[in-house]
Amino acid sequence: MSGVIIRGTTKLIGIIGDPIAQAKSPAAVNPLFAARGADIVSVPLHVPAKDLATIWAGLRAIPNLVGFGITLPHKQTAIDLCDSLDPVAARVGAVNFVRRERDGSFRGYQFDGKGFVRGLQSKGIAIKGRAALIVGAGGASVAIAFALVEAGAKSITVSNRTIEKAKALADTVNADFGRNVAKAGNAEPEAGQLVVNATSLGLQDTDALPLDADLLQPGMTFAEVIAQPESTRLLALAAEKGVETHSGMHMITGQADLTVDHICELWA
């Protein structure tokens, strides 16, 4: 946090998760707060899943904590703890950012999908008219599926270990957009697809691969949601095969401006 000055007046935003050592958002947002002259600092908070409700009550009781990001595994569990929800968060069924409102209440927001799409666009990666394969059906997957369709993706295939969750995600997207744009399927990339690993597999080098790397071919784009490590084993394997690759760090960068905008709107 070079250049960040912490005073007694400094307001805090956290990032909660279990684990939390991989969190990149403090490094992304703190320079943005500093550039705006906002006396606000982001810090990581390790919140074990079993203690979420207890710690949530503690966060609510800290007046100078004005918000916090949410990462795995809390994105869906936290939705029931929020006092109100932004329409996107309600539609997706998961939150990844909470802001303390002026009345002290906690409002849940969902920036995963918009941040992911912003990251792709910042690198000139095509979305419009393109088929996408999303591996995983958790909170980030739902948000990304909605955001990709809104950005013009031609179709979405969702693959998940539990096929029922993949079907439920596809049904939710189809119902919201009023057309059959999403379906459940296998983790088998097709020519030219945008392939997204929206699982947590890749946080550790010993993790099983979320899909068979031999199925990735030039002409496809392989994108990670994982930001730490910046290059996962599967990203490296994809690059070796001549596949366009996209680190999860770009999703973090895409969300950083959204986070700072929402906090500064009330608290800068």
Side-chain angles (χ1 to χ4, degrees):
M1 298 198 320
S2 176
V4 175
I5 299 172
I6 299 177
R7 311 172 179 86
T9 56
T10 300
K11 297 180 180 71
L12 302 177
I13 67 167
I15 170 75
I16 68 171
D18 183 23
I20 199 59
Q22 79 285 358
K24 292 285 192 178
S25 58
V29 301
N30 281 327
L32 299 180
F33 282 128
R36 295 191 189 197
D39 189 13
I40 302 170
V41 168
S42 173
V43 293
L45 301 171
H46 186 185
V47 176
K50 64 182 177 61
D51 298 320
L52 176 61
T54 301
I55 294 173
W56 190 281
L59 297 174
R60 190 187 291 277
I62 302 172
N64 71 331
L65 185 127
V66 295
F68 49 93
I70 301 179
T71 188
L72 296 169
H74 304 313
K75 293 182 181 184
Q76 288 165 307
T77 314
I79 203 160
D80 292 328
L81 298 174
C82 293
D83 299 307
S84 64
L85 296 172
D86 177 74
V88 176
R91 183 176 71 173
V92 168
V95 295
N96 81 322
F97 185 74
V98 169
R99 183 177 72 179
R100 184 188 296 274
E101 302 299 289
R102 286 294 190 192
D103 62 2
S105 65
F106 278 0
R107 184 170 177 82
Y109 293 85
Q110 174 50 256
F111 298 151
D112 278 335
K114 288 181 179 179
F116 184 78
V117 164
R118 277 196 184 190
L120 291 174
Q121 291 170 337
S122 74
K123 296 299 176 182
I125 293 174
I127 301 172
K128 191 172 180 62
R130 194 173 188 186
L133 168 65
I134 300 175
V135 183
S141 307
V142 180
I144 288 168
F146 275 109
L148 287 176
V149 175
E150 286 176 342
K154 179 176 67 174
S155 65
I156 305 287
T157 300
V158 184
S159 172
N160 193 64
R161 216 168 20 183
T162 308
I163 190 66
E164 288 76 18
K165 283 190 72 175
K167 288 178 178 176
L169 194 165
D171 288 346
T172 299
V173 172
N174 290 336
D176 194 84
F177 286 97
R179 56 194 171 96
N180 290 325
V181 67
K183 65 178 182 179
N186 296 322
E188 297 175 357
E190 298 174 2
Q193 272 188 325
L194 168 61
V195 182
V196 183
N197 175 31
T199 75
S200 60
L201 294 173
L203 283 172
Q204 308 295 330
D205 279 340
T206 54
D207 286 348
L209 294 179
L211 56 84
D212 183 353
D214 287 338
L215 297 176
L216 295 170
Q217 302 294 334
M220 299 176 182
T221 300
F222 176 69
E224 279 280 11
V225 168
I226 294 166
Q228 176 64 30
E230 284 191 39
S231 180
T232 62
R233 187 157 57 102
L234 191 49
L235 266 180
L237 290 170
E240 287 174 9
K241 294 173 66 65
V243 175
E244 180 179 47
T245 60
H246 187 74
S247 168
M249 267 306 298
H250 304 304
M251 176 176 167
I252 299 297
T253 303
Q255 293 183 75
D257 278 330
L258 291 165
T259 297
V260 172
D261 285 347
H262 276 68
I263 288 294
C264 288
E265 182 181 46
L266 287 188
W267 299 108

